Amino acid sequence: MTAVSPVVKPVSQMRLAPGSTVNIQDISWEEFESILQELGEKRSLRVAYSKSTLEIMVPLPEHEKSKDLISDIVKILLKIAGKSYEPFGSTTFKRENIAGVEPDACFYIQNYQRMIGRRKLEPNDPPPDLAIETDVTSKTTLDAYEAIAVPELWIYDSKKLRIYLLRDGHYIESDKLNHI
């Protein structure tokens, strides 16, 4: 019988084509944190972590166009409503040992004053009030967002926008905007 030794290579050496998604199971929180550190902040891929599973996604150009259009609509609606906000792009939000997620775009609305001028998140910072996901190559799972406790989540998929509001720790689909 031949002994098999595991292959150990840095995640940063993975070369994924646009539109690719990779799921890796049995990842500890420490491994997730290490992978985030290795990948750095200046990258085109997105990561999500929930229930010991790491998902790595490389967005397609159409993904970015949809995200930009929806983000622009949010900004216009907020301006019309006379509400101030602080955009946080695709920042990594974490709940230690449970979940980590990078929305395609996100906004602080109720807590915008607290977040003005921030260059990075602090451990006691609240989650964004609104997160946006555009599902082109992969499908957003609500688990990580529920764990992070993002109050409002918009998911654009197949030319349809779904709005989810957090109620008692779980999302319910809504036909009304909560923060705008």
Side-chain angles (χ1 to χ4, degrees):
M1 182 177 241
T2 312
V4 178
S5 57
V7 176
V8 180
K9 290 280 185 187
V11 173
S12 60
Q13 288 185 8
M14 292 173 52
R15 297 293 173 248
L16 301 172
S20 298
T21 302
V22 173
N23 286 294
I24 307 169
Q25 297 179 345
D26 299 321
I27 299 290
S28 70
W29 182 258
E30 292 75 20
E31 289 170 320
F32 172 63
E33 288 281 13
S34 178
I35 289 167
L36 284 178
Q37 189 172 26
E38 177 192 336
L39 292 173
E41 293 182 24
K42 303 288 183 195
R43 56 187 154 83
S44 62
L45 57 86
R46 302 274 200 284
V47 299
Y49 176 83
S50 181
K51 298 181 180 177
S52 299
T53 299
L54 173 67
E55 181 178 45
I56 302 172
M57 303 147 279
V58 182
L60 288 167
E62 67 188 83
H63 173 271
E64 297 301 302
K65 289 178 185 177
S66 298
K67 174 208 49 147
D68 287 345
L69 179 61
I70 295 168
S71 293
D72 290 346
I73 290 169
V74 168
K75 292 172 191 174
I76 291 167
L77 291 172
L78 286 167
K79 184 171 184 158
I80 289 169
K83 293 188 176 186
S84 298
Y85 64 91
E86 189 69 13
F88 256 66
S90 62
T91 302
T92 305
F93 294 92
K94 298 182 263 184
R95 183 161 178 210
E96 192 169 344
N97 294 315
I98 298 173
V101 69
E102 295 174 346
D104 295 322
C106 66
F107 297 86
Y108 282 92
I109 302 165
Q110 292 179 330
N111 293 302
Y112 83 94
Q113 288 182 316
R114 183 173 174 183
M115 304 309 289
I116 291 174
R118 288 287 182 84
R119 296 182 59 80
K120 67 178 193 168
L121 293 174
E122 300 296 328
N124 62 343
D125 284 338
D129 297 297
L130 171 62
I132 298 168
E133 285 284 0
T134 52
D135 289 355
V136 175
T137 55
S138 67
K139 302 300 178 202
T140 301
T141 56
L142 302 179
D143 297 356
Y145 280 100
E146 288 174 343
I148 305 295
V150 175
E152 188 168 345
L153 174 63
W154 292 11
I155 301 176
Y156 179 75
D157 183 19
S158 302
K159 299 181 181 180
K160 182 171 182 168
L161 180 66
R162 287 188 165 84
I163 298 167
Y164 294 92
L165 303 177
L166 192 65
R167 298 287 185 260
D168 299 320
H170 298 285
Y171 284 110
I172 58 164
E173 193 167 348
S174 176
D175 58 356
K176 296 181 181 179
L177 308 177
N178 193 38
H179 284 90
I180 299 178

